[in-house]
Amino acid sequence: MGNGVWSMHFVGMLAFHLHAVVQYDVWLTLLSMAASIISSFIAFYITMPKNINWYKIALGGFIMGSGIVTMHYMGMEAMIMSADLSYDKFFWTLSALIAFAASYAALFLFLRFRNQSSTSWLKWLSAVIMGFAICGMHYTGMKAARFHVHAGAMMEHEHDIDMFLLYGVTVTIFIILFVSWGAMFFDRHVLERMAYEDSITGLPNRNEMNRFFDTHIGKESLGVLFLDLDRFKAINDTLGHNIGDLLVREVGARLREFVRSDQQAFRIGGDEFLIIVKRCDQERAERLAQDILRSIKKVYYIEGNELYVTGSIGISIGSIQDSDRSILLKTADTAMYRAKGQGKNQYSVYTEEMGTLAVRKMELEKDLQRGLEDNQFFIVYQPKWNVKTNQLYGFEALIRWQHPRLGLISPGEFIPIAEETGLIIPITRWTLEEACRQNKEWQLQGISQPVSVNLSVRLFQTDSLTELIESVLSRVGLDPAYLELEVTESMVLYDINDIIRQLDSIRKLGVRVSMDDFGTGYSSIGLLDRLPIDALKLDRLFTNDLDTPSKRAIIHAIILMAENLNLDVIAEGVEQQEHIDFLTQLGCYVMQGYYYGKPMKNDMLEQWFRAFGLPQQHNVPDEAAP
């Protein structure tokens, strides 16, 4: 800014001819340049902070205007000639006012456009206006000058000019051009690369993705493939973030092989990538997804580690004109989570049904806490029956959610959401306390039967599960022998030693523990002899097709194994007399299913009690037959 104003002034002086010998004092000329540069620097420095008070703008404009006036008239004093110099007061004052007005305009435009990186006609117009303002100040100042040539002074031809001034101005202009070119080069090739390129993979980042969408608003069909690496967090946690970064770099290198003129890959998060394909249809998107998954799952050799990683891809197809970019990204993300839910290392194409389910899931997640606070949950109880003694063996407490607008919500739908959000902990606490309280009421009615409650593995992660159970039993006043807790096989994926420690503590309270849905999840057979449990519950999967020899052989093997480990076996999903006959022949005597009773509310249970002639049967778990 300072050099530009100074150059403009002395280019104007080179265009001015007195027809007399004119030289310039070097030091005064350089001092006038310093005045212009220093005043510009101070003015911009004062107004550089984001939050600026009006008095700082006023001070900055005053300093810059004073510097310009000083530069101009000091440059005039630098003229060495055979003439005296005086000024017209009116035009001198007018030139000073123009200088201050131009300075304030310069600061205003600096504040207005400093956060805008792109060019616009407003910037060009502002530059033109500033040029006219500075030139107007100069030529108004020259209009104020009065030259009185001494008698006998030597006259010169019009083409004679001061070569020092010409060289000085020329060099200064080239310096301005060089600095401007360097700033633009740095901005476009260095800063832009830092802002729009991922530092680890070298792929375009989220900023470049947004810029891509900005330039492709229209009806052109775009395919958006959202790629997320499976179990990437486990690699980061076990091998360290350095290995994780190297893995991401390798994945980026493989994705770069799929970059074409009409398709681009972006890294938009830690282990999240986006592939955008122009003029894309579903067939092309699915074919590309298959190729990417095959490439991703090839072995990685990183610093002595042999890593196998898979990915899940969600596909969304549409145009930016028909839908907002956020919708394309959100739908691709929704489809990606569906692919993960289907077993990972797969791709899934977004459908309207997915969108409906996603909205419903979000709504349930939002209403889950309110449901707990407003007592929208209730408990149903399903009986267990011992066919060997022909007696009631206990009840399983099952939670249900009566949503005020959506109706009855299945546990299979809201329990996973509760586990994701952590609300499973207060929900289980409520269920446990409600089931124990109801059990206590049954005992007062003469029905002494244990009740079982399902536990999520999330409760073991709190490391306060034993204290929770103990406090609930104490508050309700229930004997621990009448409480049974059901856990799932998925707990073997976690710190098994810690799980065993907590189960031991629970059983020391006198509470029974059973493994629910045995044989349908992660195999825990190798740990059965270590796990402190009392019973195995066979999933309904085993009670189906009991007439097939292979299924009966599996059940028989499980029952023999359970007998050797002193474990009870309970069969779920019993709905027919044939099921009972087959299971009894195989050595399983405790049944649970619709044949004996559906899950019922307490008021329906009273009718069920009367139908079965209860209460006169009492069953304390320690006395029960296996």
Side-chain angles (χ1 to χ4, degrees):
M1 181 72 181
N3 277 332
V5 174
W6 182 86
S7 299
M8 184 282 310
H9 170 77
F10 281 99
V11 168
M13 295 304 295
L14 289 173
F16 180 73
H17 293 280
L18 274 175
H19 304 293
V21 177
V22 179
Q23 300 292 327
Y24 287 86
D25 184 275
V26 175
W27 295 108
L28 279 178
T29 302
L30 293 177
L31 193 59
S32 67
M33 176 188 286
S36 179
I37 294 173
I38 292 172
S39 61
S40 299
F41 173 81
I42 293 174
F44 284 125
Y45 184 80
I46 290 175
T47 54
M48 189 183 302
K50 296 211 176 269
N51 297 322
I52 305 174
N53 297 320
W54 64 269
Y55 63 85
K56 288 187 177 181
I57 299 177
L59 180 60
F62 177 79
I63 292 175
M64 180 179 283
S66 300
I68 292 174
V69 172
T70 301
M71 180 278 302
H72 178 85
Y73 289 104
M74 188 176 291
M76 298 290 289
E77 287 299 320
M79 298 174 65
I80 302 173
M81 56 186 175
S82 299
D84 294 327
L85 184 60
S86 63
Y87 296 98
D88 181 276
K89 293 182 180 180
F90 173 77
F91 286 107
W92 188 95
T93 303
L94 183 61
S95 68
L97 292 176
I98 294 175
F100 283 106
S103 300
Y104 283 113
L107 291 183
F108 173 77
L109 295 174
F110 167 69
L111 297 174
R112 173 67 176 79
F113 295 115
R114 63 179 175 179
N115 293 325
Q116 297 184 12
S117 58
S118 59
T119 58
S120 66
W121 67 271
L122 283 174
K123 288 187 177 182
W124 287 106
L125 179 62
S126 300
V128 171
I129 293 173
M130 283 300 303
F132 276 113
I134 298 297
C135 289
M137 179 271 158
H138 170 81
Y139 288 106
T140 303
M142 294 301 296
K143 179 71 174 177
R146 299 289 183 266
F147 297 94
H148 308 284
V149 180
H150 298 165
M154 183 181 295
M155 305 303 291
E156 292 289 333
H157 297 293
E158 292 185 3
H159 64 272
D160 291 336
I161 57 176
D162 190 317
M163 297 306 295
F164 161 75
L165 184 59
L166 176 63
Y167 291 145
V169 170
T170 302
V171 169
T172 303
I173 291 174
F174 273 102
I175 289 174
I176 293 174
L177 293 175
F178 177 77
V179 171
S180 300
W181 174 83
M184 287 189 295
F185 178 86
F186 184 77
D187 179 62
R188 293 180 181 177
H189 295 277
V190 179
L191 294 181
E192 183 173 356
R193 182 176 179 181
M194 293 171 61
Y196 293 97
E197 184 178 290
D198 178 59
S199 60
I200 295 178
T201 63
L203 293 173
N205 61 12
R206 184 181 290 271
N207 295 330
E208 180 63 27
M209 177 198 72
N210 290 331
R211 188 159 65 175
F212 176 91
F213 281 125
D214 288 337
T215 57
H216 287 80
I217 297 177
K219 292 187 176 181
E220 180 183 11
S221 179
L222 297 177
V224 178
L225 283 71
F226 196 114
L227 168 65
D228 185 88
L229 301 181
D230 300 327
R231 292 184 56 77
F232 176 74
K233 185 177 184 299
I235 294 175
N236 259 347
D237 293 343
T238 55
L239 300 179
H241 289 272
N242 179 52
I243 300 297
D245 289 344
L246 293 176
L247 174 61
V248 168
R249 179 181 297 174
E250 289 295 322
V251 172
R254 295 186 185 185
L255 290 179
R256 198 174 289 113
E257 299 174 359
F258 297 94
V259 173
R260 307 281 188 275
S261 59
D262 59 346
Q263 61 190 42
Q264 181 59 274
F266 304 85
R267 185 192 179 206
I268 59 174
D271 63 330
E272 297 176 339
F273 299 85
L274 203 71
I275 299 91
I276 302 178
V277 186
K278 303 176 186 176
R279 299 179 296 279
C280 184
D281 56 22
Q282 182 172 332
E283 182 180 356
R284 179 182 177 183
E286 291 188 39
R287 191 166 56 248
L288 177 60
Q290 292 171 358
D291 294 340
I292 291 174
L293 291 178
R294 277 195 295 268
S295 176
I296 293 297
K297 71 178 183 179
K298 293 178 182 177
V299 63
Y300 298 84
Y301 298 99
I302 300 176
E303 293 192 355
N305 297 287
E306 187 174 309
L307 303 178
Y308 292 88
V309 177
T310 59
S312 299
I313 296 179
I315 301 174
S316 177
I317 299 174
S319 66
I320 301 181
Q321 180 168 317
D322 295 335
S323 61
D324 185 76
R325 76 179 66 172
S326 62
I327 296 178
L328 281 175
L329 295 175
K330 183 178 71 175
T331 52
D333 187 45
T334 300
M336 183 272 294
Y337 277 107
R338 168 59 66 89
K340 281 189 178 292
Q342 292 174 344
K344 305 176 182 178
N345 192 32
Q346 298 187 39
Y347 70 85
S348 178
V349 181
Y350 177 80
T351 62
E352 290 299 326
E353 181 185 359
M354 285 186 199
T356 303
L357 293 175
V359 171
R360 180 179 172 90
K361 180 181 178 182
M362 182 176 63
E363 190 170 359
L364 293 179
E365 182 176 332
K366 175 176 62 70
D367 294 342
L368 203 56
Q369 179 69 46
R370 175 62 62 86
L372 189 61
E373 295 173 355
D374 294 349
N375 296 319
Q376 295 173 10
F377 293 96
F378 63 93
I379 304 291
V380 292
Y381 301 90
Q382 187 172 29
K384 306 174 190 177
W385 195 265
N386 190 321
V387 296
K388 191 172 185 179
T389 62
N390 196 31
Q391 290 184 341
L392 183 63
Y393 191 77
F395 296 93
E396 180 178 3
L398 301 167
I399 188 170
R400 298 290 185 265
W401 183 11
Q402 186 66 45
H403 195 282
R405 188 171 57 81
L406 300 176
L408 189 63
I409 309 297
S410 166
E413 188 174 7
F414 72 82
I415 290 296
I417 299 175
E419 290 183 331
E420 289 177 15
T421 59
L423 286 173
I424 191 65
I425 296 174
I427 288 176
T428 304
R429 184 187 298 115
W430 178 85
T431 305
L432 189 64
E433 188 163 342
E434 182 67 17
C436 290
R437 184 195 59 78
Q438 183 60 62
N439 193 307
K440 190 67 175 178
E441 288 187 9
W442 289 337
Q443 292 184 21
L444 295 177
Q445 297 172 16
I447 302 174
S448 300
Q449 295 292 336
V451 63
S452 61
V453 177
N454 293 277
L455 289 184
S456 168
V457 72
R458 287 289 298 269
L459 275 88
F460 287 91
Q461 298 170 356
T462 64
D463 203 27
S464 60
L465 179 57
T466 305
E467 290 78 3
L468 170 63
I469 296 169
E470 194 172 14
S471 66
V472 169
L473 290 172
S474 175
R475 187 160 53 249
V476 175
L478 182 68
D479 189 325
Y482 290 96
L483 176 63
E484 182 177 352
L485 300 176
E486 297 186 8
V487 297
T488 61
E489 285 184 293
S490 61
M491 68 181 180
V492 302
L493 290 176
Y494 299 87
D495 187 350
I496 189 62
N497 292 323
D498 185 60
I499 297 287
I500 291 173
R501 178 186 62 81
Q502 294 190 59
L503 289 177
D504 271 329
S505 299
I506 291 172
R507 293 186 75 215
K508 287 178 181 177
L509 295 176
V511 176
R512 284 170 54 90
V513 178
S514 63
M515 180 174 287
D516 194 16
D517 300 333
F518 178 75
T520 61
Y522 304 91
S523 177
S524 58
I525 292 178
L527 294 170
L528 276 181
D529 60 332
R530 292 183 57 199
L531 291 172
I533 58 177
D534 300 284
L536 297 178
K537 295 190 70 175
L538 293 178
D539 188 78
R540 65 183 64 249
L541 174 68
F542 292 99
T543 58
N544 295 329
D545 302 327
L546 275 174
D547 53 341
T548 59
S550 58
K551 189 64 67 71
R552 297 177 66 181
I554 293 173
I555 296 176
H556 186 57
I558 293 175
I559 293 173
L560 289 177
M561 177 183 62
E563 287 179 357
N564 290 327
L565 294 173
N566 295 319
L567 299 177
D568 296 342
V569 178
I570 304 170
E572 293 183 299
V574 177
E575 298 180 359
Q576 303 171 16
Q577 182 64 46
E578 292 178 348
H579 293 164
I580 300 172
D581 295 339
F582 277 126
L583 289 169
T584 304
Q585 292 174 11
L586 295 172
C588 179
Y589 303 110
V590 181
M591 316 286 180
Q592 179 181 347
Y594 282 10
Y595 183 86
Y596 292 102
K598 297 181 179 181
M600 298 168 279
K601 289 185 177 181
N602 186 47
D603 54 355
M604 295 181 63
L605 267 178
E606 294 178 0
Q607 300 176 15
W608 187 88
F609 287 152
R610 288 192 294 269
F612 278 80
L614 299 172
Q616 67 265 14
Q617 302 172 2
H618 301 266
N619 178 31
V620 179
D622 291 339
E623 302 171 354

